[in-house]
Amino acid sequence: MQPNTQRSLIFVLLAVLMAATRVNHFTPIPDASWAVFFIGGFYLRSWTRWAFPALMALAVAVDYAVITRQGLSFWDHYCVSAAYWFLFPAYFAMWAGGLWVARNYARRWSTLALAAVALLASTAVCQLLSQGSFYWLSASVADKSVAGWAANYVEWLLPYLRTAATYVGIAALVQAIAAGAAKSKAGAIGADDAHKR
């Protein structure tokens, strides 16, 4: 498969995954948005200039559709305040984590450790930007305090990390299987060529 064809397929799969799971953040199937941006940074690094904005536009479009379908005004919804726009740098933190893993990618087990560190750091920054901006800028939180913000940050960090890690772990497993299959195929072709000589 050609690299651009492969990237196109990955982009479509990520877009479908995000749209399907972002529709309701509290369904039994958790929202994959954070993981989608991390995985996108890994696989779509050469398409960052258009793929990241396209996935961001999709995220906003899904939010708009969900909110307006409930008969509510998008701009008056409690989730859409000045804090909402912090999702752009928050999600780019996830994308940057994927980019970093891609730049340091090697077909060794140590790559899993790099990916775990990058995912943890990216999720922590994403949570800081998204949760922090909502806590401090939104009118939804009445009595703001550093202690209240810190408790809220810690309370939600682990669930978001667990969800992102689940999706990224599945992607890593698929990547390992695909890499192993490609290596086996290359070895079989090499052995066949040697046999013909």
Side-chain angles (χ1 to χ4, degrees):
M1 187 181 294
Q2 294 297 319
N4 281 344
T5 304
Q6 186 179 35
R7 279 192 285 269
S8 297
L9 178 61
I10 289 168
F11 176 81
V12 169
L13 289 173
L14 290 176
V16 168
L17 177 63
M18 184 166 65
T21 60
R22 192 177 178 89
V23 170
N24 186 338
H25 297 286
F26 301 103
T27 56
I29 300 173
D31 180 6
S33 298
W34 292 26
V36 161
F37 284 99
F38 188 88
I39 296 165
F42 180 81
Y43 285 108
L44 307 174
R45 58 195 173 275
S46 62
W47 286 3
T48 295
R49 285 188 178 185
W50 73 265
F52 176 78
L55 288 171
M56 276 305 313
L58 175 63
V60 173
V62 170
D63 290 348
Y64 181 85
V66 168
I67 291 168
T68 56
R69 192 174 59 208
Q70 295 170 353
L72 303 170
S73 167
F74 179 75
W75 301 108
D76 294 332
H77 195 269
Y78 80 95
C79 283
V80 183
S81 65
Y84 183 80
W85 307 110
F86 276 79
L87 289 181
F88 286 80
Y91 288 171
F92 194 78
M94 298 302 294
W95 190 275
L99 284 172
W100 187 80
V101 174
R103 288 187 183 124
N104 295 284
Y105 179 72
R107 291 183 179 164
R108 295 190 298 263
W109 286 107
S110 59
T111 301
L112 286 176
L114 288 175
V117 169
L119 181 62
L120 177 60
S122 299
T123 303
V125 173
C126 184
Q127 171 73 349
L128 181 68
L129 291 167
S130 62
Q131 176 271 344
S133 63
F134 184 80
Y135 186 89
W136 293 109
L137 300 177
S138 167
S140 298
V141 181
D143 299 317
K144 297 174 172 66
S145 69
V146 173
W149 163 76
N152 187 268
Y153 178 87
V154 171
E155 179 184 353
W156 287 100
L157 179 60
L158 187 58
Y160 278 109
L161 178 61
R162 187 171 42 241
T163 298
T166 299
Y167 286 113
V168 171
I170 292 168
L173 180 61
V174 170
Q175 170 70 23
I177 291 169
K183 187 175 180 181
S184 295
K185 183 178 179 182
I189 290 171
D192 189 45
D193 288 345
H195 179 70
K196 286 177 182 176
R197 291 179 193 152

